[in-house]
Amino acid sequence: MHIEWSNFFIQLIAFGILYWLLSRYAFGPLFSIMEQRKQFVKEQLDNAENSRKQAEQQFEEQKQTLQQARKDAYDILEQAKQTSSKQADEIVQTAKSEASRLKDEAVKDIESEKNKAIAALRGQVSGMSVMIASKIIEKQIDDKSQEQLVNQYLNEVGSK
């Protein structure tokens, strides 16, 4: 294999001129575009990382909000239970006091009716006593007859 030195130098000079033209007109803009692309990709990665961080932060905030909402709902339920328990206790207490009042009124009514019955019975007994006394006066009897007469009138009073 034989090397032609003239061709070699011509190719070397052509390569040098081509390299100089490329570096002056092509490599600069090409490297500039590549650098812009590199910056763009870096910005996209940074934006993606920021978006991921914001998404995580929002997720945590939503998680906390959900936990707070659950706590609030639980508190509302507990408050409703306490309120219903208080109302139930108040209703039972009211019913007990009403029953006690009605019982007291019934006892007073019974006592009043008892007193009226006793007063009526006394009136009847006094009337009977007068009747017995008048019959005894009409009829003079001995002790045994008088006891039978009193027992007879008492039985009549008891049956009325």
Side-chain angles (χ1 to χ4, degrees):
M1 177 160 195
H2 175 51
I3 299 178
E4 287 205 30
W5 290 104
S6 63
N7 276 342
F8 175 74
F9 286 116
I10 292 173
Q11 286 178 352
L12 188 60
I13 291 172
F15 179 76
I17 292 170
L18 181 62
Y19 182 78
W20 179 77
L21 286 172
L22 285 174
S23 66
R24 180 160 178 118
Y25 296 109
F27 289 151
L30 182 64
F31 287 144
S32 172
I33 289 172
M34 289 177 71
E35 187 63 31
Q36 288 176 356
R37 178 70 179 160
K38 181 181 171 184
Q39 289 297 325
F40 178 73
V41 169
K42 185 179 177 188
E43 287 175 7
Q44 291 296 320
L45 289 174
D46 290 344
N47 287 340
E49 181 65 21
N50 289 338
S51 295
R52 185 187 64 78
K53 287 180 182 177
Q54 286 177 351
E56 286 179 358
Q57 183 180 8
Q58 287 176 350
F59 177 74
E60 288 298 320
E61 288 174 2
Q62 288 175 350
K63 190 175 173 182
Q64 290 174 355
T65 303
L66 181 61
Q67 287 176 346
Q68 184 64 35
R70 285 182 180 160
K71 183 182 178 285
D72 291 345
Y74 179 77
D75 291 344
I76 290 169
L77 286 174
E78 286 300 315
Q79 187 177 11
K81 285 178 185 177
Q82 290 174 353
T83 302
S84 64
S85 177
K86 285 180 184 177
Q87 287 177 344
D89 290 344
E90 288 174 3
I91 290 171
V92 168
Q93 196 64 25
T94 303
K96 283 181 180 179
S97 64
E98 183 66 18
S100 176
R101 185 186 64 79
L102 291 174
K103 179 184 169 191
D104 291 344
E105 285 180 9
V107 167
K108 287 178 184 176
D109 289 346
I110 290 171
E111 189 66 33
S112 172
E113 291 298 319
K114 178 182 162 188
N115 289 337
K116 286 179 185 177
I118 289 174
L121 187 59
R122 283 185 181 157
Q124 288 178 355
V125 167
S126 64
M128 292 273 195
S129 297
V130 170
M131 254 177 30
I132 291 172
S134 66
K135 289 203 177 197
I136 291 176
I137 291 176
E138 289 175 4
K139 214 179 175 186
Q140 289 294 328
I141 53 173
D142 61 357
D143 286 336
K144 191 175 182 182
S145 299
Q146 182 178 356
E147 188 177 326
Q148 281 180 340
L149 190 60
V150 167
N151 285 336
Q152 178 185 356
Y153 284 115
L154 286 178
N155 284 336
E156 286 179 16
V157 169
S159 65
K160 290 183 179 181

